[in-house]
Amino acid sequence: MKDLYIYYQVKEEHAQALEARVRAMQAKLAAASGVAPQLKRRPDSKDGLQTWMEIYPVVGEGFAELLATAADEAGLLALTAGARHTEVFMDLPPCA
């Protein structure tokens, strides 16, 4: 299992509209997949831009594609300042 971290920037004037779209998308994904998504942002803004992070913990194979389709359907890129960047992390195995 892996965790997905998606980060991007949003202009402050688009933040409210984008938040509504992201939360609606995440609610649908949670209902469909059982994943428990999170939405975060850095506390400061720089040059009128906020940095946001979506977190999808403990996702299975195929979830990244499901997420990409959901983001397209939600029209998220219309409100972001640039691309969405995805990072994938996995747990380290415990020491024996």
Side-chain angles (χ1 to χ4, degrees):
M1 298 299 244
K2 300 173 185 171
D3 301 333
L4 297 182
Y5 296 82
I6 295 84
Y7 63 95
Y8 47 90
Q9 292 188 312
V10 58
K11 291 182 180 177
E12 289 179 325
E13 62 264 22
H14 294 154
Q16 187 174 9
L18 182 61
E19 181 180 0
R21 289 186 189 190
V22 172
R23 291 200 186 277
M25 177 194 72
Q26 288 184 326
K28 288 179 185 176
L29 286 169
S33 68
V35 73
Q38 300 173 35
L39 179 61
K40 300 178 181 278
R41 80 171 190 89
R42 286 192 174 149
D44 57 335
S45 297
K46 183 176 180 183
D47 299 324
L49 295 171
Q50 299 175 358
T51 301
W52 287 23
M53 173 85 64
E54 295 170 31
I55 302 171
Y56 299 91
V58 194
V59 299
E61 292 300 318
F63 185 84
E65 293 79 15
L66 179 68
L67 175 58
T69 299
D72 285 343
E73 290 174 355
L76 301 187
L77 285 179
L79 295 174
T80 62
R84 291 166 50 90
H85 307 280
T86 301
E87 298 286 342
V88 179
F89 287 79
M90 57 184 248
D91 291 334
L92 293 172
C95 295

